[in-house]
Amino acid sequence: MIEVVQVTNHSGLKKFVSFPFELYKDCTYWVPPLIKDEIETLDSTKNPVFKNAEAQYYLAYLDGKVAGRIAVIINHLEVNEQNKKKIRFGWFDVIDNIAVTEALLEKVYEAGRKHNLEYAEGPVGFSNMEKAGILTKGFEEMNTMITWYHYPYYAEHFEKLGYEKQATWVEFRLSIPPQAFEKVKKFSGLIRKRYELSVIRFKNKKEILPYVDEMFGLLNNTYNTLQTFVPIQQYQIDYYKEKYFSFIHPDYITCIKDKNGKLIAFSVVMPSFSKALKKANGKLFPFGWYHILQAQKKSETAAFYLIGIDPEYQGKGVTAIIFEEMQNLFNSKGISVVETNPELEENTAVQLLWKDYSPVQHKERSTFRKDL
């Protein structure tokens, strides 16, 4: 017997967040989130995204035991201002039982029809700044801090239930050479001189703060033509700043300014936290912080998280400066492998950036859509 129950209190939310820990407890490749962060993200009293979104959370029980979960989400900016009549769903995890999947998705359809929406798409978060997509390739790869891991049967369930792929993201593993390519160093120098650009170097996290709002502004300008884009609001920027700041080391941020001091490009990479988060198993205490701090200090792998370039400077070679700076960083830190963040497969301009670094596409994920 399958029963789907709405989460209505804090203990239910803890059970909702904890379910994947049971589902993936024997999976080598699943990287757990921090439980406290997950609960705060889903808590409407703590996450400011609820100023323009709403969500309901459901747990599915099979013969009295938790067998799946799903978040049903409406982003009102997307629906009302962008005129995308979409009901979102995310935080989807389930045992290999298509009847349980179907029962959970029925809650998505009910909410979508109630609000006169036209189609369902997921898994996604509240906005394009969060995790998205069902894993369809790379089942023997650990997920990064900003992606979900899924078993192969997830995609099979959606296909059997009549869903079609909506958006697809690809991820690459890059090999870092022992020193920067001469052509990159030469081109970087030319671009700096031609446009009178300079690199901002940070000694500590406090020095980064004045630039964070500008970074997010560049993100909005860089990606506003992509199909999944929803503008990032100021209150979300403030929230992300607080949520992820503890993970960021100033050495791993590259900012470029023009002759007037205006920020025109930036990139954020981080040491890979996947193994550290695996060891932490959802908790910072008593030893989780130690594993994360160790990863910050020493890691052979890094993850490429964000890159933003002012549209005025796109296609003008600014990436050569970013790559030279990153190359020097990676070599100084002993990093030999870098993973890219998920990139929409149609975003070929970004994928061309990696061509000199022996890119191997090792993961792929998609959102799935169904008309209501």
Side-chain angles (χ1 to χ4, degrees):
M1 176 183 171
I2 299 169
E3 183 183 14
V4 179
V5 178
Q6 184 173 355
V7 172
T8 57
N9 53 39
H10 187 71
S11 63
L13 192 58
K14 285 182 69 175
K15 191 178 291 186
F16 182 91
V17 169
S18 299
F19 172 64
F21 287 80
E22 175 65 24
L23 183 66
Y24 294 106
K25 65 181 180 181
D26 298 321
C27 180
T28 305
Y29 310 106
W30 178 70
V31 175
L34 293 173
I35 293 171
K36 182 174 180 289
D37 278 358
E38 282 286 273
I39 290 174
E40 288 185 358
T41 297
L42 299 170
D43 188 337
S44 62
T45 67
K46 294 183 178 180
N47 188 343
V49 77
F50 286 96
K51 291 181 180 181
N52 61 259
E54 62 180 274
Q56 290 82 43
Y57 313 118
Y58 294 93
L59 287 167
Y61 291 81
L62 179 62
D63 298 330
K65 184 178 179 181
V66 178
R69 67 171 189 170
I70 199 166
V72 181
I73 301 164
I74 299 176
N75 183 311
H76 293 294
L77 286 177
E78 182 175 56
V79 173
N80 298 324
E81 296 185 16
Q82 296 185 307
N83 201 33
K84 293 181 181 178
K85 303 301 183 184
K86 174 168 77 179
I87 183 85
R88 292 170 166 246
F89 63 90
W91 285 270
F92 173 77
D93 285 290
V94 69
I95 65 171
D96 190 6
N97 184 316
I98 196 167
V100 177
T101 296
E102 195 168 18
L104 285 166
L105 290 170
E106 190 57 42
K107 295 299 180 182
V108 182
Y109 310 150
E110 288 176 8
R113 290 169 185 142
K114 178 181 176 182
H115 290 86
N116 298 313
L117 301 177
E118 296 172 357
Y119 66 99
E121 183 185 357
V124 290
F126 298 105
S127 71
N128 53 303
M129 284 299 295
E130 289 154 331
K131 300 175 184 180
I134 289 284
L135 191 67
T136 55
K137 176 183 178 180
F139 301 109
E140 296 183 353
E141 302 280 351
M142 293 178 77
N143 58 292
T144 65
M145 187 171 70
I146 62 167
T147 58
W148 283 311
Y149 179 87
H150 302 106
Y151 289 127
Y153 63 78
Y154 280 53
E156 294 169 9
H157 284 194
F158 283 103
E159 288 164 359
K160 288 177 180 176
L161 292 172
Y163 280 74
E164 295 182 351
K165 288 183 180 180
Q166 173 71 11
T168 296
W169 291 265
V170 291
E171 298 169 54
F172 296 89
R173 181 186 290 117
L174 313 177
S175 299
I176 305 303
Q179 59 184 11
F181 298 112
E182 284 301 320
K183 65 177 182 179
V184 171
K185 290 193 286 186
K186 183 177 180 180
F187 195 41
S188 171
L190 287 171
I191 297 302
R192 292 178 200 234
K193 187 175 181 180
R194 179 180 299 169
Y195 299 109
E196 299 181 75
L197 304 177
S198 57
V199 175
I200 306 169
R201 303 185 190 281
F202 302 107
K203 295 178 182 177
N204 53 58
K205 294 178 182 178
K206 187 176 179 180
E207 292 181 352
I208 303 168
L209 280 173
Y211 294 93
V212 173
D213 288 1
E214 286 187 83
M215 291 182 195
F216 278 96
L218 283 180
L219 281 181
N220 275 337
N221 290 334
T222 301
Y223 299 110
N224 61 8
T225 60
L226 297 178
Q227 62 167 307
T228 58
F229 179 77
V230 178
I232 308 161
Q233 306 299 303
Q234 183 60 48
Y235 50 80
Q236 291 174 276
I237 294 171
D238 295 338
Y239 176 71
Y240 294 133
K241 190 189 306 183
E242 183 177 343
K243 183 174 181 180
Y244 293 112
F245 203 63
S246 61
F247 288 95
I248 296 176
H249 192 290
D251 289 351
Y252 288 83
I253 294 181
T254 299
C255 285
I256 301 171
K257 62 181 179 180
D258 66 12
K259 62 182 180 181
N260 298 316
K262 177 188 173 185
L263 186 71
I264 61 98
F266 80 95
S267 69
V268 177
V269 295
M270 293 188 199
S272 174
F273 290 107
S274 294
K275 291 180 180 179
L277 288 169
K278 187 78 172 171
K279 292 175 182 176
N281 197 34
K283 298 177 181 178
L284 285 176
F285 299 101
F287 303 115
W289 267 116
Y290 172 79
H291 297 305
I292 289 170
L293 287 172
Q294 288 301 107
Q296 281 185 328
K297 292 177 182 178
K298 185 173 178 60
S299 178
E300 294 180 353
T301 305
F304 200 133
Y305 282 99
L306 295 172
I307 184 169
I309 300 175
D310 190 313
E312 183 181 340
Y313 285 89
Q314 290 176 15
K316 293 184 177 179
V318 174
T319 51
I321 304 174
I322 293 174
F323 280 16
E324 183 186 23
E325 292 295 317
M326 287 195 308
Q327 177 80 58
N328 294 335
L329 167 71
F330 295 150
N331 292 156
S332 70
K333 300 285 187 182
I335 291 170
S336 57
V337 176
V338 176
E339 284 192 88
T340 69
N341 64 333
E343 304 155 1
L344 284 166
E345 63 177 352
E346 66 263 29
N347 194 0
T348 53
V350 170
Q351 289 150 38
L352 282 172
L353 299 178
W354 320 127
K355 60 183 175 62
D356 293 327
Y357 295 88
S358 306
V360 175
Q361 188 201 324
H362 64 313
K363 298 178 196 171
E364 186 172 297
R365 62 190 70 244
S366 295
T367 56
F368 285 78
R369 167 183 169 147
K370 188 173 185 178
D371 292 338
L372 299 180

